Amino acid sequence: MWSADEIASLCYDHFNKLPKRGKPEEGREWTLLAAVLQLTHSPEHKTVHKQIVSLGTGTKCIGKSVMSMNGDILNDSHAEVIARRGCVRYLMEQLYRAVSGQSSAVFQPGTEKGQWMVKPEVSFLFFTSQTPCGDASIFPMNCNEVQPCKFVKETQNKELERRGSKRTADSDLEEHPRIKTRVGHFIFEKSVDGEEQKSTTENKERSQSEDILKRDLHRTGAKCVPDGPTDPLQPGLLYHNTGLLRLKPGRGDSTLSLSCSDKLARWGVLGFQGALLSHYLQKPIYFSAVVVGKCSYSHQAMVRALNTRCAHVTGLPSGFSTHPPKLLQSCLEFTCNHTHTEVQHTHAQGKISPCGAAISWCAVSQQPLDVTANGYKQGVTKNVLGTPKARSLISKVELFHSFLKLVAVTEQTQLPESLCGKELRTYWDYKQAAGPYQQAWTQLQLQAFPLWCRSPRELLLFH
Ligand SMILES: [Zn+2]
């Protein structure tokens, strides 16, 4: 019904058609791209309509010292996060349409009072032009150069060459030995052709230590969260620990934003709709697949980071369940990424750098394009900072206001139970009142992510 390349190509085309504002300067600046696609299945025609409902670019994250108490700054402007927030904005408008009696492409009435469901023919998938930062980005480099283990048979090698860099779950297993990670070291479980299993434990240990010294690791700039295990920062494979929550790097100051790997893992359990929308939804909304563009990629690291870390979580409230997305990679590259920009770059252009702006585009009726820099609308003058003019339309406060408009248009008899008879005022109040969502979040934290740092409450008390 769709392929990873088709999804990637739709996203790149959509990006290319956007106006220049916020895009990187060719050959000097690079950026990252992410998008949410809505798939609408038509069983009678056996077709799937694919629509980009949100697209985001961006590479930056603000430090904790500049976070705002008014919900008016974007803390995290990595493309994945921008794309998710744009999708929430899109869903907010679709729900507004449904609740106010207009047609919606996404929602239909649920079976309980004030509850809505995604139409059965509709599903969502996530695209990102690069491996998400954090845990999914940690994996050994050049796996098939490693000795003495023989990884890939001749025939398999030819098959891999024929398929180019495109990798599926199967080819990934052929290409890499299965690696079982523990804090600080790697243990081989099984090699592809089974030869390693015949070797003695002694040989195995020797090859492991040689392997650790010889091979290097793809690294992530995201640092381990405080109060937990840290990275050994030793040479080769011992540089990082795997499976850990990580914070995004910021400019100078440290951030409170979890890595994109961690956020994607969380959306796989809580859904990506967030607490506010969950008031109106009978079930959370999950991504059915995550597609990554051509880049350094490890299927195993993706599985570990996005799926395995939460797979054991149980005791979730009704409607919630662990929802591991299908993981795929495309062989099409985003031409504004770091690698491509380096190839095009000439000395006369000055130093290569990440683009400071973040673009959000989403399929809404008014002002679909929203370009920001440093968390605020790009190009605003100092004297409008702090006013609505400077805010991004996907900032917390703007999404909250859209939600309040939705509540205001809802007839009293159709109001979700979780919003009835309560004195709710602030953003924090409304989020906390989303009972099942908060219960699911508590279970996820207790069972998988005890060190997840939540935003300080005082930053969420705006209204
Ligand atoms: Zn990221």
Side-chain angles (χ1 to χ4, degrees), residues 32 58-60 76-81 128 130-134 137 220 222 248-249 258-261 263:
L32 309 170
T59 63
K60 305 273 182 177
D76 184 342
S77 294
H78 280 210
E80 293 93 324
V81 173
T128 171
Q130 68 296 317
T131 296
C133 63
S137 292
T220 178
K248 284 174 179 157
L258 273 295
S259 74
C260 292
S261 294
K263 290 187 175 183

Side-chain angles (χ1 to χ4, degrees), residues 440-451:
W441 186 200
T442 303
Q443 286 307 318
L444 176 61
Q445 278 185 299
L446 283 172
Q447 296 176 48
F449 294 141
L451 297 172

